[in-house]
Amino acid sequence: MNIENINTLGELVKSGYKSKSIKDELRENLISKMMSKETVFKGIHGYENSVIPELERAILSKHNINLLGLRGQAKTRLARLMVNLLDEYIPVVEGSEINDDPLNPISRFAKELINEKGDETPIYWLHRSERFAEKLATPDVTVADIIGDVDPIKAANLKLSYADDRVIHYGMIPRANRCIFVINELPDLQARIQVALFNILQEGDIQIRGFKLRLPLDMQFVFTANPEDYTNRGSIVTPLKDRIGSQILTHYPEDIETAKTITKQETDKASAQKEFIQVPELARDLLEQIVFEARESEFIDAKSGVSARLSITAFENLLSTAERRALLSGDSKTMIRLNDFDGIIPAITGKVELVYEGEQEGAQVVAETLIKNAIKTLFPTYFPEIKKLEKQSAETPYDDIISWFFNADEDFELLDEHTEQEYKNELDKITPLNAFLEKHQPNMNTVDGYFVKEFILWALVEFKKLSKHRFAEGTQFRDPYGNFMSGL
């Protein structure tokens, strides 16, 4: 059907166009995409076997949907991607405030216009990208905002009495007729406002200021909510929950690979701007592991959640830390260093809610602890495990490295101002590291090797095989008895 040639109601009828509800649109287009094996929710990772099948079942059932999950779990993004399941264009009566269907008008304006002009009634075509409306639920939202109210100025201008339905000013929901309407953070909506949604969800109509007005709206509702909101800031009233067809639980990525895919997707633009920065795969793993550690930490409120936005902003900070260092040292190319991870601490402290014990420790200390724990967790996946209890005489794969520090004439320091070549030269001094890497990671990328060497040193510190001291200009490593011998 060539919509460019259809500008009136008569032409629309002649074309054989058939109206259908928005829920039928979603259902039919989903079926079509599923049959052609097309990816429906592009850019969503980790939900392939959990959330997406449930969401598809809800759409096939023509349900209104509540996405329930902690912050940063792509709830709103899922709702926005549903727009791709709508027909590309739908016809609308020109001048209608509520997107009236020319073949099934519901407003007084559209009905009178069609009665007056008949087949010459002008229509226009609404693209699916314009069929999405969103409202963040806040305590100050009123019924007038979302449903509508009598407009005294309109009544005065049109010289109409308040008994005439033409004085109504429609709210956000009627104006989103034939659209997907999302209400974010539903429990924050006051109970009396939630009650105003009952009729819309069950009967599909609205009531405004006692008007005997029936507007059978055609809507697809998607709500989002955080689980703790049921008890903390507010709750979803039971009759409203009863009217929502499907409640779908979202979750965080279950493995590092999925988390890395999400972070890479969301930070591709930042990465492209800083192509001169080499990011070792281990650095990406470590960044995601820090977020996993945060979700398990006793210092962080698990009910509040740790958003996927933490790893995204942390990665951006990591790149910027390396970029700033390179600018100051005059390097045209650089590589992520473990010391650069100090730069992600502001991203961590701003994204987590601390429990009482965490507040006592302090946000900075908690963030540093997360980095240390991530190193300890990842290390055994790459290298031989360091056991807590070992016989003093037992040989370990790390003896040569530790001996190098014990026998070193001076303390080993990695300064923040080191150029790229100076940084590599310093790490190359620890000759046992080369043999250790060749034995345990023979296929590792040579460029990544320097980051891995530094990672080994940090891990040996966490397992009490070496000691580390952070000072203003950089980091100092020494044998485990170094602090004792020097009186530090």
Side-chain angles (χ1 to χ4, degrees):
M1 181 173 62
N2 190 354
I3 62 172
E4 292 178 0
N5 301 326
I6 301 174
N7 299 304
T8 64
L9 176 58
E11 291 168 352
L12 183 68
V13 172
K14 195 180 294 183
S15 73
Y17 178 85
K18 301 290 182 187
S19 295
K20 55 186 171 185
S21 73
I22 186 170
K23 287 185 167 71
D24 283 327
E25 278 183 61
L26 291 165
R27 174 184 159 82
E28 289 175 18
N29 291 326
L30 173 61
I31 290 170
S32 173
K33 285 180 181 287
M34 290 177 74
M35 290 179 71
S36 62
K37 307 294 183 188
E38 189 177 336
T39 302
V40 179
F41 295 97
K42 291 179 181 176
I44 300 294
H45 306 282
Y47 285 173
E48 292 82 1
N49 301 311
S50 53
V51 176
I52 289 176
E54 291 188 2
L55 186 55
E56 289 173 345
R57 285 193 284 270
I59 293 170
L60 291 173
S61 300
K62 299 197 282 191
H63 284 173
N64 290 314
I65 298 162
N66 182 26
L67 295 170
L68 183 66
L70 295 170
R71 55 184 174 171
Q73 292 185 351
K75 299 186 293 294
T76 306
R77 176 168 292 195
L78 279 169
R80 287 175 178 162
L81 286 172
M82 286 175 63
V83 170
N84 296 327
L85 292 173
L86 296 172
D87 291 346
E88 188 173 7
Y89 288 96
I90 58 166
V92 175
V93 174
E94 196 168 287
S96 168
E97 291 181 273
I98 60 172
N99 300 326
D100 274 287
D101 181 349
L103 301 179
N104 186 27
I106 59 173
S107 72
R108 176 168 174 170
F109 165 82
K111 289 175 180 176
E112 289 180 349
L113 186 65
I114 290 171
N115 284 338
E116 178 190 339
K117 298 196 173 183
D119 285 350
E120 296 303 311
T121 303
I123 67 169
Y124 73 96
W125 292 86
L126 186 67
H127 191 259
R128 61 182 164 217
S129 61
E130 299 177 77
R131 296 176 64 194
F132 180 87
E134 189 175 355
K135 176 64 180 167
L136 176 63
T138 52
D140 61 336
V141 173
T142 64
V143 173
D145 291 334
I146 61 171
I147 306 295
D149 203 350
V150 170
D151 185 348
I153 297 174
K154 186 184 282 189
N157 287 342
L158 298 176
K159 297 181 180 178
L160 297 170
S161 77
Y162 285 175
D164 194 309
D165 62 10
R166 285 174 289 182
V167 304
I168 291 173
H169 173 77
Y170 294 113
M172 288 187 71
I173 289 177
R175 289 175 182 275
N177 182 38
R178 304 172 76 197
C179 298
I180 296 171
F181 192 84
V182 178
I183 298 182
N184 284 314
E185 312 300 344
L186 180 61
D188 281 352
L189 211 59
Q190 291 184 34
R192 64 187 181 84
I193 312 299
Q194 293 185 38
V195 169
L197 299 174
F198 288 1
N199 260 41
I200 299 172
L201 289 177
Q202 192 64 42
E203 285 80 29
D205 61 18
I206 62 170
Q207 299 171 0
I208 297 176
R209 287 282 180 177
F211 272 103
K212 193 175 180 181
L213 178 71
R214 175 161 165 72
L215 284 179
L217 298 173
D218 179 23
M219 310 277 293
Q220 170 66 54
F221 281 96
V222 181
F223 304 101
T224 73
N226 294 341
E228 78 276 8
D229 288 345
Y230 284 110
T231 54
N232 285 2
R233 298 202 299 260
S235 63
I236 302 177
V237 298
T238 305
L240 181 59
K241 283 173 66 178
D242 186 49
R243 285 167 166 81
I244 299 171
S246 291
Q247 178 169 281
I248 298 169
L249 301 179
T250 58
H251 57 81
Y252 288 123
E254 294 173 349
D255 57 76
I256 282 182
E257 287 305 316
T258 303
K260 278 165 60 178
T261 302
I262 295 168
T263 303
K264 185 176 186 306
Q265 174 181 282
E266 300 303 312
T267 56
D268 262 353
K269 189 174 181 182
S271 302
Q273 290 169 338
K274 299 166 184 175
E275 289 177 349
F276 63 93
I277 300 172
Q278 169 76 20
V279 185
E281 204 61 29
L282 177 57
R284 295 180 187 274
D285 288 350
L286 182 58
L287 186 84
E288 300 301 341
Q289 187 61 43
I290 290 166
V291 180
F292 278 68
E293 296 291 338
R295 289 177 187 142
E296 299 294 326
S297 173
E298 61 184 352
F299 298 127
I300 294 170
D301 185 3
K303 288 182 179 178
S304 178
V306 178
S307 168
R309 286 182 281 272
L310 194 159
S311 53
I312 294 164
T313 53
F315 185 75
E316 290 166 346
N317 263 12
L318 188 63
L319 291 178
S320 297
T321 305
E323 181 181 31
R324 180 180 181 276
R325 175 172 46 72
L327 290 169
L328 292 174
S329 64
D331 283 321
S332 58
K333 286 188 176 182
T334 190
M335 174 177 57
I336 294 295
R337 303 175 189 174
L338 243 168
N339 269 348
D340 294 335
F341 275 77
D342 285 344
I344 74 169
I345 289 175
I348 297 173
T349 55
K351 290 284 191 298
V352 296
E353 295 290 330
L354 302 180
V355 295
Y356 176 76
E357 292 81 1
E359 297 285 359
Q360 295 298 104
E361 290 287 329
Q364 177 88 9
V365 173
V366 170
E368 290 171 355
T369 302
L370 293 177
I371 296 171
K372 293 173 181 177
N373 289 346
I375 291 170
K376 287 176 73 172
T377 302
L378 272 187
F379 188 72
T381 65
Y382 285 85
F383 301 106
E385 184 182 358
I386 300 176
K387 296 177 182 176
K388 288 184 179 178
L389 298 174
E390 289 175 336
K391 290 181 181 178
Q392 199 165 3
S393 59
E395 290 186 3
T396 74
Y398 306 97
D399 289 347
D400 289 344
I401 301 171
I402 296 164
S403 295
W404 186 91
F405 281 91
F406 186 80
N407 296 316
D409 295 331
E410 57 186 23
D411 292 328
F412 178 80
E413 294 179 349
L414 289 174
L415 303 182
D416 294 341
E417 64 183 26
H418 273 334
T419 65
E420 199 64 16
Q421 194 56 52
E422 287 170 342
Y423 169 74
K424 292 177 179 178
N425 290 343
E426 285 300 309
L427 284 169
D428 282 338
K429 289 179 182 177
I430 312 173
T431 49
L433 277 175
N434 294 326
F436 181 82
L437 276 179
E438 284 175 17
K439 182 176 180 180
H440 297 287
Q441 287 290 341
N443 300 320
M444 180 162 286
N445 185 330
T446 309
V447 181
D448 292 357
Y450 289 97
F451 179 85
V452 179
K453 286 180 181 181
E454 193 182 358
F455 175 74
I456 293 168
L457 298 184
W458 280 61
L460 290 175
V461 170
E462 296 311 314
F463 287 104
K464 307 293 189 288
K465 299 296 182 182
L466 293 177
S467 63
K468 176 170 70 72
H469 171 61
R470 176 70 185 172
F471 57 102
E473 291 81 21
T475 305
Q476 183 184 80
F477 294 87
R478 51 174 64 158
D479 71 273
Y481 306 105
N483 286 347
F484 174 76
M485 296 296 286
S486 63
L488 289 174

